[in-house]
Amino acid sequence: MRLLLLILLFSASTAMAQDIPFRWDELTASDWPQALEKSKRTCILPIGILEKHGPHAPLGSDLIHVREWSARAAKQEYAVVFPDYFYGQVYEAQQQPGTFALPSRVVWDLLEATVEEIARNGFDKIVIVNGHGGNPQLLRYFVQAQLEKRRDYAVYFFDPGQDPVFAEKAKKLRKSDAAGDMHAGENETSTLLYLRPDLVKQKLATTESGEDQKRMASLPNLYTGIWWYASYPNHYAGEGAKASKEMGKLLTENKVETLVKALKAVKADTKTLELQREYFDNVDKVGARP
């Protein structure tokens, strides 16, 4: 009887010890060693933005997305999730109310300081999960720039490609033209209808145009920063009125499933840090005196 009681007490204490929050801001200092161990020193940095999403969706749509993707994935594959981060690139939306656009130098320095602080707290694998369409160029360069100097941590950018099998499933539910569905359109509004229907004013989705206004002359093989404003001055691209909760559920579950797989791969990864150390050892040898 005594042995059974001890086993039950041990099992209960073990279960309680394992049941720790995944959000950085909800952990206690005493949870920290276990969080590092359970996550295999892996931290998710969810990055969104504050900007207009058509006339019908919340300014923090991108934050809602990365918050939910990260939380749902971390529940399945434990990783510590950094608090919501909304300091990215969004200069193309400054003409719209509610946009929060910091100076470019501040954006870069803040992101660099943030990953440094995450690493200082014991994480050597940092996974950036992005929810904003204007961030990928910044984030890819940021990840590449990690090779500028020696670091004892690695930064990964969750950047999933298109799965043809999933794309076919989504196509069957789609009601609008996929080519023009980029911002606050059917896809994005659908996921918000699934995640936060209380914040979506779908009846307003037709009060502004989400069509390409084609206000710029063709510039073949050239890129200019004003292209988005030229095409979508309303900061709305697509048809949010055609969104559905069913589509949102499909899109969200696919994103979370893909992120879970990525987290498993990152937590099991030993090569990235090994090769990073080897790379910097070789960098140090360049120009060294014999």
Side-chain angles (χ1 to χ4, degrees), residues 13 34 65 68 77 81 83 91 98 101 108 119 128 151 193 199 202 212 236 252-253 272:
S13 63
Q34 189 185 346
H65 285 129
E68 287 292 335
E77 186 62 40
V81 180
Y91 305 119
W108 184 272
I128 294 177
R151 304 169 200 271
L193 284 174
L199 298 179
Q202 196 173 9
D212 185 347
Y236 177 26
T252 300
E253 290 180 349
T272 298

Side-chain angles (χ1 to χ4, degrees), residues 87-100:
Y87 316 107
Q89 188 293 120
V90 67
Y91 305 119
E92 68 275 9
Q94 289 182 99
Q95 86 282 11
Q96 297 292 351
T99 300
F100 190 83

Side-chain angles (χ1 to χ4, degrees), residues 39-58:
S39 69
K40 297 192 183 298
R41 297 184 179 271
T42 302
C43 182
I44 298 173
L45 175 56
I47 299 181
I49 212 75
L50 293 175
E51 61 173 341
K52 177 183 177 181
H53 278 75
H56 59 289

Side-chain angles (χ1 to χ4, degrees), residues 17-29:
Q18 291 176 341
D19 187 22
I20 59 172
F22 55 81
R23 281 187 62 98
W24 182 303
D25 52 324
E26 293 180 2
L27 288 161
T28 63

Side-chain angles (χ1 to χ4, degrees), residues 5-254:
L5 182 59
L6 288 172
I7 292 173
L8 289 173
L9 286 171
F10 176 77
S11 300
S13 63
T14 301
M16 287 180 65
Q18 291 176 341
D19 187 22
I20 59 172
F22 55 81
R23 281 187 62 98
W24 182 303
D25 52 324
E26 293 180 2
L27 288 161
T28 63
S30 56
D31 289 331
W32 210 256
Q34 189 185 346
L36 289 174
E37 181 181 1
K38 190 173 181 180
S39 69
K40 297 192 183 298
R41 297 184 179 271
T42 302
C43 182
I44 298 173
L45 175 56
I47 299 181
I49 212 75
L50 293 175
E51 61 173 341
K52 177 183 177 181
H53 278 75
H56 59 289
L59 295 168
S61 293
D62 298 339
L63 283 174
I64 292 169
H65 285 129
V66 291
R67 180 190 305 142
E68 287 292 335
W69 299 337
S70 301
R72 292 172 186 230
K75 286 177 183 177
Q76 296 182 50
E77 186 62 40
Y78 187 86
V80 172
V81 180
F82 194 79
D84 301 353
Y85 187 100
F86 54 89
Y87 316 107
Q89 188 293 120
V90 67
Y91 305 119
E92 68 275 9
Q94 289 182 99
Q95 86 282 11
Q96 297 292 351
T99 300
F100 190 83
L102 293 173
S104 56
R105 185 70 255 175
V106 174
V107 169
W108 184 272
D109 289 347
L110 188 57
L111 183 55
E112 187 167 50
T114 297
V115 297
E116 287 280 355
E117 271 297 279
I118 291 173
R120 188 185 66 78
N121 276 280
F123 298 98
D124 57 18
K125 298 174 181 179
I126 301 168
V127 182
I128 294 177
V129 177
N130 174 55
H132 171 52
N135 275 340
Q137 290 90 336
L138 163 70
L139 295 175
R140 290 189 187 102
Y141 179 54
F142 179 78
V143 172
Q144 192 67 47
Q146 297 302 295
L147 297 180
E148 178 186 13
K149 65 179 182 179
R150 186 183 291 271
R151 304 169 200 271
D152 56 3
Y153 60 90
V155 179
Y156 305 76
F157 176 30
F158 175 61
D159 191 20
Q162 182 67 276
D163 175 5
V165 176
F166 169 74
E168 194 59 35
K169 290 181 182 178
K171 184 178 179 181
K172 294 177 181 178
L173 291 179
R174 175 170 288 284
K175 300 173 185 175
S176 67
D177 179 11
D181 187 15
M182 291 184 284
H183 184 70
E186 183 180 0
N187 274 13
E188 201 163 20
T189 305
S190 290
T191 51
L192 290 165
L193 284 174
Y194 175 61
L195 295 171
R196 290 299 304 271
D198 55 310
L199 298 179
V200 180
K201 300 177 180 179
Q202 196 173 9
K203 290 181 179 179
L204 297 179
T206 57
T207 60
E208 291 181 3
S209 173
E211 293 184 8
D212 185 347
Q213 302 300 301
K214 300 178 180 178
R215 300 190 301 160
M216 182 180 285
S218 176
L219 296 170
N221 304 313
L222 295 165
Y223 180 88
T224 178
I226 202 67
W227 79 271
W228 176 264
Y229 176 74
S231 295
Y232 305 101
N234 293 326
H235 209 57
Y236 177 26
E239 298 180 80
K242 294 184 177 180
S244 68
K245 187 175 181 179
E246 185 182 12
M247 172 69 95
K249 183 175 187 291
L250 180 71
L251 293 169
T252 300
E253 290 180 349
N254 176 256

